[in-house]
Amino acid sequence: MESKDNLVELRSVNLTYNRGKANAYHALHDVNLNIKKGEFVIILGPSGCGKSSLLNIMASLELPDNGTVMIDDVDILKMKAIDRTGFHRSKMGMVFQSYNLISTLSVLDNVALPQIFVNKRKREREQKVMTLLERFGIKEQWKKIPSELSGGQQQRIGIARAIVNDPSIILADEPVGNLDSESANNVMQIMSELNKEEKKTIILVTHNPENVDWGTHIVHMKDGKIVKEEWKDSKGASREVETSMEAEKSGFEKIMEKFRGLSEKQIGILMEPLKAKIITESFLIPYENRQIKLIEESIKLRLAGIYDTRTLMEQLDKNEEDGGVGLDSRIAKKFSFGIDELIDVAKKVFGQYSSREKAGFALQYLINQDDINIGAEDFEKVTNLIQKRIENQISHLEFKDLLDLPNNAGGVGLNRRTVQKILRNMDLILIVGYGLEARQ
Ligand code: ADP
Ligand code: MG
């Protein structure tokens, strides 16, 4: 499968941390991946699935146990370590979640740093840096140190630093993981421009499915493996190759399979502890690992009706020293109200209403969510599909296709981001609602 236009080719790559020791961990299993010049690749998957490991192998920051890693037709595992470093420096720029800026250096000096290795004159270097700062809207801040800037601004410095030596490949590990949605959007926009206008190949890692719309080649990972790949052409039409059948089932369907043969009431009760976990994950807030358990506990209490909206909000907001979760107050508020709306719609969808009314409630909920754009002219079609999905007359995959396909192919022709969001939110409604009625 050698192909001239592959910029990156991975063949049967395995990676084991602490190899040969008692705590050995097999992080990547037989990974095969081709990346072509000019692609905007998004590597998507849950925390711990091996995304950073894979990126670090492409960056030659980690060496695999075996397999081949070709970058621009060069087998980098056959290089001497010192040549590999030079190769990395001349071809790749890296962007990190935590920005990795040097706290004591000015914005200008941070961005200029990689240029020190390429023998340019100081004036020339600084001019180049100022042009980049201007382009990213942070020129006025050139004298400041990183901590004086917002997260979004710091990440733009990180990107400027990554591209100052004109690399052809940009590797970004959760670059928007610490940013609010507006700054995240701005950073993704910059990445997209670097891809489209400067033909840079971007390889970006994220755990957040909301970011996939920016990509042209989506690589789905799970448990150290690539389970699915998708490509989008310039018109937005997509083509998928599945490595594993599991990937296309919805979260709801996967859960139901585990419980096959049980009564609705039994399933409802068994699902109870999962619900809090799934809701927590769905909010995609960049919290620390140690906070997750506390958030889940609080949501369980909310679902059980022990906490009301205000108590949940206070619990999420309160400092950790005082037994709370320590979230930003605005996030705590958004979270608590978001959960209320979700419980409310789930109760209706599983309540004593006609199928038509249920679908109407679900539609109302969906169009109130950010990033879901359904034109009034499509309400009728979408409501019909939601109704069929609630009644389980169509599978997750059929539901997806019918929302996604263009009108002339019998679909509603919604944009991808909207389709993804509808799928995720419908799953949440079904998961949260299941068993509510049976227990009451
Ligand atoms: P992701 O970026 O998808 O969250 P990683 O690639 O960072 O995942 O990690 C994959 C798995 O490998 C995780 O279980 C992680 O704990 C483990 N791991 C990552 N780096 C190391 C390391 N340096 N030593 C040991 N285990 C590691
Ligand atoms: Mg990672």
Side-chain angles (χ1 to χ4, degrees), residues 17-18 25 27 46-53:
Y17 290 108
N18 307 314
Y25 187 83
S47 174
C49 72
K51 305 179 296 294
S52 298
S53 302

Side-chain angles (χ1 to χ4, degrees), residues 195-209:
N195 173 248
K196 289 198 178 116
E197 287 161 24
E198 298 186 22
K199 309 292 172 220
K200 305 239 183 254
T201 304
I202 314 264
I203 308 175
L204 185 147
V205 159
T206 180
H207 69 280
N208 185 345

Side-chain angles (χ1 to χ4, degrees), residues 119-132:
N119 303 324
K120 282 216 179 115
R121 289 217 196 97
K122 189 160 189 272
R123 240 186 79 82
E124 209 181 320
R125 292 204 300 250
E126 295 190 347
Q127 223 153 36
K128 170 128 200 218
V129 172
M130 289 310 280
T131 315
L132 284 175

Side-chain angles (χ1 to χ4, degrees), residues 197 225 256 292 317 349:
E197 287 161 24
K225 297 181 189 132
M256 295 308 276
I292 291 181
D317 183 20
V349 166

Side-chain angles (χ1 to χ4, degrees), residues 48-86:
C49 72
K51 305 179 296 294
S52 298
S53 302
L54 183 60
L55 198 75
N56 290 341
I57 283 188
M58 295 190 252
S60 59
L61 299 175
E62 290 285 353
L63 294 180
D65 311 346
N66 50 31
T68 338
V69 181
M70 305 282 289
I71 312 272
D72 225 357
D73 294 321
V74 179
D75 186 339
I76 60 167
L77 302 181
K78 296 208 171 119
M79 283 179 152
K80 287 195 206 119
I82 179 141
D83 296 337
R84 215 180 281 130
T85 311

Side-chain angles (χ1 to χ4, degrees), residues 413-424:
L414 297 176
N415 77 41
R416 267 186 94 73
R417 177 180 290 254
T418 296
V419 173
Q420 293 295 345
K421 278 247 168 187
I422 292 177
L423 292 171
R424 272 167 19 98

